[in-house]
Each structure stands twice: as C-alpha cells, then as structure tokens.
Amino acid sequence: MNYNKKTVKDIDVKGKKVLLRCDFNVPMAKDGSGVITDDKRIRAALPTIQYLLAEGAAVIACSHMGKPQPSFDKWVQKQTEKGKDPATLTEAKWQKSLAELTLAPVAVRLSELLGQEVALAADVAGPDAQAKAAALQPGQIMLLENTRFEKGETKNDPKLAKAMADMAEIYVSDAFGAVHRAHASTAGVAEYLPAVSGFLIQKELDFIGGALANPKRPLVAILGGSKVSSKIGVINNLLEIADTIIIGGGMAYTFSAAKGGKIGNSLFEADWQDYANEMVEKAAAKGVKLLLPIDTVCGDKFAPDANTLTVEAGNIPDGWEGLDIGPKTIELYCNAVKDAGTVIWNGPMGVFEFAAFAAGTEAVAEALSKTDAITIIGGGDSAAAVQQLGYADKMTHISTGGGASLEFMEGKELPGVACLLDA
Ligand code: AMP
C-alpha cells in the first residue's frame, strides 16, 4: 500500500465546502445522561479543523458513534441474540437506543473547544443536512448526525456516499480509527470528491507506515495481549520486516505449550499450537530473533487479589495460571529494546489491569520511555497502558486507532487510506 498521500496542505480549500470525516466515537456515561467521559478524540481532531477554518473552508464534519441498529427488525434480532426477551422489545426502546447515540453532546463539546457555534444537522445527508450545508459560510463548521443512523453507511452504499459528497467539494479524512472499514463516509465518498488526509492520519501514515516500509534498524516488535489467534496477521507480517520479535501476554502460553511446557490454567489456544511452532521455525530460518518468556508470574485465580508465584516458563503448576512475564524475562526484554532503532509495541505483557500482574507491562513501557529508538505504540490496550502509567509523552507515536493500527501492522490495505489521492 502506498502510504504517501496528499494532505490538506496539498489542496486549496479556501472558500470550499469540505466534508471532514472525524472519529468522534467518544466514550459516554453509561446512564444515558449524554455526558462524554473522555473527549480526547474530539481534541485530537482540532488541529485539522482549525487549519481548515483558518484557511477559509466551510467544514461539514461527520463521524459514527457506537453501533446503532438503523432498522427495528435488526435491533430486535440483535437484542434477542443477546438473550433479551423479544416480548419486551418495543419500538420506543429501539428509538431510545438510537437517541443515546446522537452526536448532540459532541457538537456541544466541539463548540466549547473551538469557541464557535457547531450546528448539528438532524440527519446525515437528508433535507436538514443539505439545507444547513448549503447555508454554511467559509470559517463556519457544522456536524452531521451519527453516520451509522443510515443503513447505507456500513454497507458502503453509493447512494448515501454520493448524497454526502454532493454537499461538499473536497473530502478530508482524519478518522484513523475507522480507516480499516470501507464504509460510505470513510471510503465511498472518495469516489465523488478529491480526497486528502488530515493531520491525524498523516501522522499515523508517517510513523507506522514509515516504521513498516523503511524502519530505522534494528526493528524490534513487541507483541502481547490475550490471544495468538488475534495477532496472527501481525506476527506474519512483522516476521518479514522485524529484526527481533518479542512475545508476551496470554499468547505466550500457547507457544510454551506447543514446545511441551506445562502451562496450568493459563490462556491456551490448542488449535494454534502448530502455528506457534511454525513461527518459531520460520523466525529461525529468516534470522529473526524470536524471544519468548523465560519465567512467568502466576496467580491462583484470575483476580486482582490472587496469590502469586513466580516460576520458570513451561513449569506452571496445576491450579495456577500465567498472568505476567517474570523478572528474568523483564530483564531480557528490556535489554532487547535498549539498542533498537525502532520499536513497535502492540499488546500488554500481562494482565496489567491488576496491579499484581502489571510489572511486565510497566517495565516495558519504562524501557521504551528511556530508549533513543523511535517508539510506536499500537492503539487499544498498549496505548491505554502507556497512558495510565504516565509514559505517553515519552513515546514517539501512540496510535489513535485500535483495529486500524492492528490491520496496518498486518500489512493490510486500509480502504480509508487507499481511497485518498497519492502525493
Ligand atoms: P488484546 O486485546 O488481545 O490486545 O488483549 C489485551 C488483554 O490481554 C488485556 O486486557 C490483558 O489483561 C490481557 N492479557 C494479557 N496477558 C494475559 C494473560 N497472561 N492472561 C490473560 N489475559 C492476559
């Protein structure tokens, strides 16, 4: 995939209507009060918005929020699958579930942050959106309603994409968290408008794309998290690129079991043992250093107050489960990143949510904060861990997209990036 894409700086936006795809999928209070519990994603979009407004564009911002079911029947089906009694599922309840996913709170917060009015359209590309867009003046910004209120959004329906595109003259994508999806607002609209990236996507492409295409070596990839099966694509791709691959987290135990180790009650994916062995062989054949844990911190239950026991890898007693890498592994892994040119990290080393099993993840975060290497943190849990531990400002780049950064590291084509004009 070509990561070298045109940006807002490569196109004249003065006096133009710009459709700007943002990622305003912010966490909301569970009580339905409409309170945004973390506005990081809204603040992250400000540089591109402020640039466009200052350059004299009229900005029509849009985003999805959550997973609304735009049809009543589909909603009933999904709720029934979740175990709800169909007799209790009324049209009013469905409407309420949609109302909770309005972008109204986002419009209010965005308006506060920008210090100017952000009008919210009542629809995505319907009469109200069209009227508001037509009246929008240079330097003004409006927000469309949740793009997923339209059935055509996730189906990448060309009719919806065209209706959205017809309101604007230029498409700017800055929703990195959604570029792995070919939806009407993330890819479809680019069929009808000149399409460029905003600053957020540009940064992701520069750092992650740069690390994958032309890394400062040695390139060390640290892969953790719960399951081997969810990281296969990343392991496969990084085996072709990295000099060293470090494995931690729950997935390490499938590697251990595959070698004949005793793993007690640790996370284990029987179907992936052969794959784990193949990866070890493939790494050896390619001259890629593959590091696996040499010791492990176990718990007697999966709980914050579990009793702990540190043992050699492959020697976990019955009744215990591996929940973090051990001190010898920490030393091994921290040494491996010391002289790296680039480090890519995706997935925690243990159950960092429990203090008793956070040491491995903490030590790796600290080691990354001290190295001179370019440090790139994949979105999701590793990003959350780095932030929670206070090392965020010590990293070169923390990705804003969980699924998107994973697919990027898998070497997959990202539809929301592929559709942008090449630089
Ligand atoms: P993932 O979404 O695959 O990146 O996995 C992240 C989750 O993996 C975190 O919530 C961790 O608590 C969990 N995790 C990491 N190590 C382990 C382990 N040894 N056993 C169980 N869960 C783990």
Side-chain angles (χ1 to χ4, degrees):
M1 192 174 79
N2 180 8
Y3 308 131
N4 200 5
K5 295 293 180 177
K6 282 197 175 164
T7 79
V8 277
K9 294 222 162 150
D10 299 317
I11 196 161
D12 183 11
V13 299
K14 193 173 166 56
K16 300 271 171 59
K17 295 227 163 86
V18 172
L19 178 65
L20 173 66
R21 178 55 156 97
C22 301
D23 180 2
F24 290 148
N25 185 24
V26 288
M28 307 286 285
K30 295 269 182 284
D31 58 6
S33 58
V35 172
I36 297 170
T37 54
D38 183 355
D39 67 357
K40 199 164 54 231
R41 287 186 170 160
I42 305 177
R43 283 184 283 114
L46 294 178
T48 300
I49 295 175
Q50 282 163 333
Y51 172 84
L52 289 169
L53 294 173
E55 291 291 307
V59 177
I60 304 163
C62 68
S63 172
H64 76 283
M65 162 95 84
K67 289 185 178 158
Q69 286 302 335
S71 105
F72 176 62
D73 293 344
K74 194 80 193 282
W75 177 77
V76 170
Q77 185 197 325
K78 289 271 170 199
Q79 294 297 311
T80 313
E81 279 166 18
K82 282 188 201 161
K84 296 261 164 71
D85 175 4
T88 64
L89 301 173
T90 61
E91 188 121 5
K93 279 192 186 161
W94 168 58
Q95 291 288 357
K96 186 165 170 271
S97 78
L98 291 182
E100 283 172 3
L101 292 174
T102 170
L103 285 181
V106 171
V108 172
R109 185 71 190 120
L110 184 57
S111 165
E112 286 165 4
L113 291 166
L114 287 171
Q116 73 181 82
E117 194 200 341
V118 179
L120 177 72
D123 46 33
V124 180
D128 192 52
Q130 286 175 21
K132 284 196 167 74
L136 202 68
Q137 297 300 310
Q140 293 183 338
I141 173 167
M142 63 177 280
L143 180 62
L144 303 177
E145 235 328 343
N146 188 345
T147 52
R148 289 194 189 162
F149 284 175
E150 285 286 342
K151 262 189 234 148
E153 164 70 336
T154 54
K155 295 194 177 109
N156 195 4
D157 178 0
K159 256 199 257 148
L160 174 64
K162 179 152 192 317
M164 293 183 79
D166 280 349
M167 295 185 284
E169 295 158 278
I170 292 171
Y171 172 64
V172 175
S173 176
D174 217 16
F176 183 71
V179 289
H180 57 312
R181 303 200 168 102
H183 291 175
S185 73
T186 59
V189 288
E191 293 284 321
Y192 307 99
L193 293 173
V196 300
S197 77
F199 299 129
L200 266 182
I201 289 199
Q202 185 198 359
K203 191 164 172 255
E204 299 275 1
L205 295 181
D206 283 354
F207 283 110
I208 305 183
L212 296 176
N214 190 17
K216 190 170 165 224
R217 291 190 183 273
L219 169 62
V220 179
I222 308 175
L223 301 174
S226 53
K227 291 181 179 168
V228 183
S229 55
S230 63
K231 298 280 157 78
I232 305 284
V234 187
I235 303 176
N236 282 346
N237 191 39
L238 289 174
L239 261 177
E240 304 295 328
I241 307 170
D243 301 291
T244 301
I245 294 183
I246 292 175
I247 304 274
M251 67 177 172
Y253 304 101
T254 297
F255 281 83
S256 176
K259 280 196 300 187
K262 278 185 66 196
I263 59 164
N265 296 336
S266 308
L267 262 186
F268 172 54
E269 292 178 287
D271 292 349
W272 293 98
Q273 290 184 91
D274 290 345
Y275 170 84
N277 280 333
E278 274 166 36
M279 285 304 109
V280 173
E281 283 163 25
K282 200 168 167 191
K286 285 185 172 295
V288 175
K289 225 192 263 172
L290 184 83
L291 300 181
L292 291 162
I294 48 177
D295 60 352
T296 180
V297 180
C298 311
D300 58 355
K301 57 182 173 182
F302 187 87
D305 62 345
N307 292 305
T308 66
L309 174 73
T310 302
V311 297
E312 304 280 302
N315 269 314
I316 301 178
D318 290 343
W320 293 78
E321 58 190 298
L323 296 175
D324 195 11
I325 54 174
K328 289 185 202 155
T329 310
I330 287 180
E331 201 185 329
L332 176 74
Y333 288 5
C334 291
N335 273 332
V337 300
K338 248 189 211 148
D339 300 319
T342 308
V343 184
I344 296 180
W345 183 17
N346 199 307
M349 296 291 97
V351 185
F352 73 101
E353 296 94 335
F354 301 159
F357 306 103
T361 302
E362 258 179 69
V364 166
E366 191 188 349
L368 293 203
S369 75
K370 287 184 179 154
T371 139
D372 294 329
I374 295 167
T375 47
I376 294 165
I377 317 299
D381 275 313
S382 348
V386 163
Q387 254 134 13
Q388 187 185 311
L389 296 166
Y391 293 114
D393 59 346
K394 300 270 177 19
M395 305 300 168
T396 314
H397 178 65
I398 301 179
S399 179
T400 52
S405 78
L406 197 65
E407 291 198 17
F408 203 163
M409 290 177 189
E410 286 174 355
K412 282 194 188 156
E413 180 170 282
L414 303 168
V417 172
C419 70
L420 306 177
L421 293 170
D422 290 333

